[in-house]
Amino acid sequence: MTPPATDEPGRTAPDDRSVLVLRLAGPLQSWGAQGAFNIRDTRPEPTKSGVTGLLAAALGLPRGAPLDELTALRMGVRADVPGTLLRDYHVVSDFRGTPLPQAGVSAKGTQRSTAPAKYTHVTSRYYLQDALFVVALEGGPELLHRLVAAVRAPRFFLALGRRSCPPTQPIALGIESGRLESVLRDLPWQASDRAKGSYAYKLGRRRGLDGPFRPATVPCSVTLEHADGDDVLQDVPLSFDPHDRAFVGRRVRQEWLRIPTGFSHPDATTEIEAGEDIHDPFELLGR
């Protein structure tokens, strides 16, 4: 008897596992990982801590609630529209007119005032503009059905990394059966019709055509949680308690997938007909 398919070598995937598919899109997103007060960075795609926080908010979990059930879900992220990076300029001051404290703290955990006194402080916030990601979460169907219901009727406000980044609808695309990779590979491109049309015209100009060229597939970068992954991301939350925040690492692997574009009448049904080589190093530079 052939064992059930698994995404990780040496491990057998349970038959009762399903995949919850989320669509994370909005005017702005920010998935910080290591940002300090004066510089708040963003990773180029959703972090596990950010997605876990969104799900915890949908369920209405308090800050100090255990997260084991959510962090045990295996996650994959597909960048359908990577977006562009935005740097937002901020000036911070104390409304009482007092000098700002120093960024560092003493051994007792207190902050001293700046010397010489500073009354304004420049900070930078980084965001992804007009990005769209497909996030797939593999786990038991009972939990995934609870999560999809919660995302569609959330207890708390949902955000794409920061409270200033509300998501557009729909967020939950449903629950699929199968392996994580196969779900991300088979789900059609979630870009808007306008974005698809722009991509087709750019592809047509690249080929010297007067009009658009509509391929059947498009390359998308994918980050998959994998026990044998080459990279480690320190973004698995142990607690969201403001006084006891802690994170651990997870292994991931990154690759490119060819996904269906969704064009009703594509000009090419295979990459060979489209003149596209699956192993194209220039895809790493973006479309």
Side-chain angles (χ1 to χ4, degrees), residues 101-113 243:
Q102 296 180 14
V105 297
S106 66
K108 296 181 179 180
T110 59
Q111 292 176 284
R112 292 192 295 265
S113 297
H243 302 291

Side-chain angles (χ1 to χ4, degrees), residues 3-51:
T6 177
D7 290 319
E8 300 188 18
R11 292 182 58 184
T12 300
D15 294 328
D16 61 346
R17 294 177 74 82
S18 301
V19 178
L20 168 62
V21 183
L22 302 177
R23 172 187 173 274
L24 301 185
L28 294 175
Q29 304 185 35
S30 188
W31 308 98
Q34 298 177 344
F37 172 75
N38 58 335
I39 299 179
R40 298 291 178 88
D41 64 348
T42 178
R43 288 192 58 81
E45 60 190 24
T47 59
K48 188 154 190 177
S49 60
V51 174

Side-chain angles (χ1 to χ4, degrees), residues 86-107:
L86 167 70
R87 177 179 178 265
D88 193 14
Y89 176 87
H90 283 257
V91 176
V92 179
S93 61
D94 192 313
F95 73 96
R96 296 166 296 185
T98 57
L100 295 173
Q102 296 180 14
V105 297
S106 66

Side-chain angles (χ1 to χ4, degrees), residues 238-256:
L238 298 179
S239 171
F240 286 132
D241 187 331
H243 302 291
D244 190 27
R245 287 176 178 262
F247 300 87
V248 295
R250 63 186 175 112
R251 287 194 169 274
V252 299
R253 76 169 188 233
Q254 297 174 330
E255 57 184 66
W256 288 80

Side-chain angles (χ1 to χ4, degrees), residues 49 115 144 151 161 214:
S49 60
L144 297 187
V151 169
R214 302 177 181 85

Side-chain angles (χ1 to χ4, degrees), residues 64-166:
L67 301 172
D68 297 353
E69 191 177 35
L70 297 178
T71 56
L73 296 171
R74 181 168 175 253
M75 189 172 90
V77 179
R78 193 181 81 188
D80 284 32
V81 182
T84 57
L85 187 65
L86 167 70
R87 177 179 178 265
D88 193 14
Y89 176 87
H90 283 257
V91 176
V92 179
S93 61
D94 192 313
F95 73 96
R96 296 166 296 185
T98 57
L100 295 173
Q102 296 180 14
V105 297
S106 66
K108 296 181 179 180
T110 59
Q111 292 176 284
R112 292 192 295 265
S113 297
T114 50
K118 291 178 62 177
Y119 294 89
T120 59
H121 187 77
V122 176
T123 70
S124 296
R125 305 288 191 268
Y126 288 90
Y127 299 88
L128 298 175
Q129 299 180 101
D130 301 322
L132 188 156
F133 301 97
V134 171
V135 174
L137 298 158
E138 183 183 270
E142 189 277 331
L143 172 59
L144 297 187
H145 280 90
R146 278 199 292 125
L147 290 175
V148 74
V151 169
R152 289 171 176 168
R155 295 285 302 277
F156 298 145
F157 178 80
L158 304 184
L160 302 177
R162 290 190 194 144
R163 292 183 182 180
S164 59
C165 303

